[in-house]
Amino acid sequence: MAKVKKTTVYFCQSCGYESSKWMGQCPGCREWNTFVEELVEKKNPGKIKSTMGGKEEMKPARLSEIDLQARERVTTGFRELDRVLGGGIVPGSLVLVGGDPGIGKSTLLLQVCRNLAEEMEVLYISGEESLQQIKMRAQRIGDFSDGLQLFCETSMERIEQVTERQKPQILIIDSIQTVYSEDVSSAPGSVSQVRETTSRLLQIAKGMEITVFIVGHVTKEGVVAGPRVLEHMVDTVLYFEGDRHASYRILRGVKNRFGSTNEIGVFEMREEGLMEVANPSEFMLNGKPQGASGSVVACSMEGTRPILMEIQALVCHSNFGIPRRTAAGTDLNRVNLLMAVLEKRAGMSLSSCDAYVNIAGGIRMNEPAIDLGIVMALASSFQDKAIDEKIICFGEVGLSGEVRAVNMAQQRVSEARKLGFDTCILPKVSLPGLTDTKGIQIVGVENIREAIGKMNGK
């Protein structure tokens, strides 16, 4: 029998670097105070078996000999999810889905299982819920076919046995923090456990051509719990964002080896589950006030999709020595910078004013193209002059007060025209790139003074 020796090991939570002693700075990723202590068992090394290439003997292949016909994408039944994945599921891929508790990760994957189970075998393994709890949630979603099989287990060894026996085409693990391997003595959810179980799931995905979805919890900082190496190992990382008390959810891809990471999917949480929102701009503008100062519509691009949003600002005299500044849905530092530009280049005395900026609808945007919208909303609230409700604007604002060009101007203008806007204020340098402006008035501006002068639409 092999000797088993317990020893204390320190792991870096950011990159998974292993050390025999605690260190303030990780030598691998240079992060500070990321080491955690774990008690592990050191066993005599045996033969390591790899399943990355399957059971047959593998040999190097030429690029021209590789056949891609067997790796055609599989649609999930959700156009929004397919958009974020880059066109659908790639067979043999490993996908990590992260999000806050109660945001709808399990519900989304269960609905995906419902769609896929009509044509293929799907195995849903849960380490958090019982079979009865899953069925209660499934009854709320709708009818399921017999292609879906449920299994409650947290042992990685048993999961491998069941997967080898059932040979599903889609495997769901909910969640990775509850799965443990008997070869590692630390508790489930620890750095070593998450790294070991994810590595074995990666071997299952690549060796058996099974698409594996992993559910991961997030920390209070908004990143997936466990070592950062977890995100490096998987093929795709999706984050489910939004307030769990609100009805709308944003699915965002932060890593994708098979597609773009700029696309987002918008869902609405209803009693029967998550429903797709085909036109996010329309719901973002619902309830927009009329004739109120400090409100303007701006346009941002998420991948190839233009999204129109309402930017609200409230500027008032401060009763404290240090004015208060708050931003919801965008970067506070960017708001402070734009307020400084307004004070210096437009002559507005904002240093003694409280300022509150909000992007309505619960969505978060940081694209520079919304700079002009923030500037116009702040100026409108400061002057207490309402902006014409048929005006839309976009453009990046520089430190000299100039309005700089942004990409995909034609797509933004087309989306604004489709939703009934009459006037579009945009950077003057972007005018030559417009090919179709019929039905909407185009106003090109060079600086923020010109843009503020156009707030009434004249």
Side-chain angles (χ1 to χ4, degrees), residues 288-359:
K288 183 181 181 300
Q290 298 181 358
S293 62
S295 175
V296 68
V297 177
C299 183
S300 177
M301 294 295 299
E302 285 289 340
T304 58
R305 164 184 283 177
I307 296 182
L308 274 58
M309 70 201 75
E310 179 192 358
I311 298 179
Q312 300 175 332
L314 178 62
V315 179
C316 56
H317 183 74
S318 177
N319 295 321
F320 303 96
I322 302 177
R324 185 174 183 181
R325 309 286 168 78
T326 301
T330 188
D331 185 18
L332 176 60
N333 294 327
R334 190 67 181 175
V335 172
N336 289 330
L337 183 148
L338 295 174
M339 291 184 67
V341 173
L342 273 173
E343 185 160 2
K344 183 71 173 180
R345 308 301 179 186
M348 296 184 181
S349 181
L350 300 174
S351 59
S352 60
C353 296
D354 293 336
Y356 307 89
V357 176
N358 174 50
I359 296 182

Side-chain angles (χ1 to χ4, degrees), residues 161-383:
Q161 293 174 2
V162 172
T163 305
E164 178 70 24
R165 183 172 64 251
Q166 300 294 332
K167 292 182 173 56
Q169 295 168 280
I170 305 292
L171 176 64
I172 312 292
I173 305 295
D174 187 8
S175 66
I176 190 62
Q177 278 80 17
T178 61
V179 180
Y180 70 94
S181 172
E182 297 177 359
D183 295 336
V184 181
S185 62
S186 56
S190 61
V191 175
S192 53
Q193 283 285 6
V194 171
R195 185 172 59 180
E196 172 68 17
T197 53
T198 306
S199 175
R200 293 166 73 166
L201 288 171
L202 178 64
Q203 293 179 354
I204 290 176
K206 305 303 179 182
M208 302 176 64
E209 286 293 318
I210 297 175
T211 301
V212 181
F213 284 87
I214 300 175
V215 176
H217 299 305
V218 298
T219 63
K220 60 181 180 180
E221 290 82 13
V223 298
V224 177
R228 195 71 179 182
V229 70
L230 172 62
E231 298 189 15
H232 298 313
M233 296 171 66
V234 301
D235 297 313
T236 306
V237 181
L238 307 179
Y239 274 93
F240 219 24
E241 303 173 355
D243 186 357
R244 61 177 178 175
H245 302 294
S247 59
Y248 293 105
R249 306 284 192 270
I250 306 298
L251 184 65
R252 190 184 305 272
V254 298
K255 175 188 176 182
N256 192 353
R257 290 174 178 161
F258 311 111
S260 172
T261 57
N262 296 322
E263 301 287 354
I264 67 169
V266 184
F267 296 85
E268 180 183 4
M269 178 62 80
R270 298 181 182 176
E271 183 178 355
E272 62 272 17
L274 289 163
M275 306 297 293
E276 296 178 279
V277 178
N279 191 348
S281 300
E282 188 175 359
F283 91 80
M284 290 285 291
L285 300 178
N286 283 339
K288 183 181 181 300
Q290 298 181 358
S293 62
S295 175
V296 68
V297 177
C299 183
S300 177
M301 294 295 299
E302 285 289 340
T304 58
R305 164 184 283 177
I307 296 182
L308 274 58
M309 70 201 75
E310 179 192 358
I311 298 179
Q312 300 175 332
L314 178 62
V315 179
C316 56
H317 183 74
S318 177
N319 295 321
F320 303 96
I322 302 177
R324 185 174 183 181
R325 309 286 168 78
T326 301
T330 188
D331 185 18
L332 176 60
N333 294 327
R334 190 67 181 175
V335 172
N336 289 330
L337 183 148
L338 295 174
M339 291 184 67
V341 173
L342 273 173
E343 185 160 2
K344 183 71 173 180
R345 308 301 179 186
M348 296 184 181
S349 181
L350 300 174
S351 59
S352 60
C353 296
D354 293 336
Y356 307 89
V357 176
N358 174 50
I359 296 182
I363 197 170
R364 183 171 184 84
M365 291 290 177
N366 289 319
E367 192 196 10
I370 68 173
D371 286 353
L372 187 58
I374 296 176
V375 166
M376 293 186 66
L378 288 169
S380 171
S381 180
F382 179 78
Q383 298 177 352

